[in-house]
Amino acid sequence: MSAPSLQAFQDQVSELLLRHRSLLDVLSKTGQSNASVNRAVTKAITECGCIELHATKQSFDMGADLEQAKQLAGTHVNGQLCENCREAVSSEIGRNLFYLSAMANLLDIQLDEVVDKESQKCSTLGLFNLS
Ligand SMILES: [Zn+2]
């Protein structure tokens, strides 16, 4: 089975969403589930230990080309998520997407369109878009 489109997922969420039909409720759930994603990542570091965070100041070499710059900019992550933590983080991301979809539904926003527009912005702005 292939992954459903964002629109199909949004429709599915809309059908399931009986308990959280209030926008206010959905807003607070979105915030809460976002915090849970961060918490799952933090637990991978502090409780499991499969990944480590070694944060240092980012240094950019202005003379470097984009590919070099990408390699020099550290992610500060050492290691890889173990199977358990990957499952936990993925599941929290899914929950977060659920509530984001619910919010989009209540405000009549199509996520397919959102992703499309954002993707266009990314290709226009290029590598440093997110800085
Ligand atoms: Zn782990």
Side-chain angles (χ1 to χ4, degrees):
M1 207 177 84
S2 66
S5 71
L6 286 170
Q7 188 57 55
F9 181 61
Q10 254 185 286
D11 293 343
Q12 194 182 11
V13 169
S14 173
E15 278 167 32
L16 287 173
L17 212 71
L18 292 173
R19 261 183 64 204
H20 304 290
R21 287 201 88 78
S22 147
L23 178 58
L24 202 57
D25 196 15
V26 168
L27 283 179
S28 81
K29 283 289 186 183
T30 306
Q32 206 174 49
S33 60
N34 189 32
S36 296
V37 173
N38 293 346
R39 184 171 154 71
V41 174
T42 304
K43 278 171 91 172
I45 301 166
T46 59
E47 283 181 29
C48 176
C50 56
I51 57 172
E52 294 177 3
L53 185 63
H54 294 270
T56 52
K57 182 183 171 186
Q58 297 279 29
S59 55
F60 295 102
D61 176 0
M62 286 325 214
D65 66 28
L66 291 187
E67 272 314 307
Q68 280 174 321
K70 227 168 162 179
Q71 276 167 16
L72 288 173
T75 65
H76 298 150
V77 180
N78 283 13
Q80 278 191 325
L81 288 176
C82 69
E83 213 169 301
N84 280 345
C85 292
R86 174 176 301 276
E87 176 59 36
V89 172
S90 300
S91 145
E92 296 299 354
I93 290 174
R95 202 87 192 122
N96 194 219
L97 284 174
F98 177 92
Y99 286 112
L100 261 183
S101 302
M103 181 168 65
N105 277 338
L106 294 178
L107 298 173
D108 199 24
I109 289 172
Q110 273 70 50
L111 288 181
D112 277 328
E113 235 169 79
V114 172
V115 170
D116 206 44
K117 276 195 193 135
E118 193 60 29
S119 165
Q120 278 170 28
K121 258 190 255 169
C122 288
S123 49
T124 314
L125 295 175
L127 191 64
F128 292 107
N129 175 38
L130 294 174
S131 64

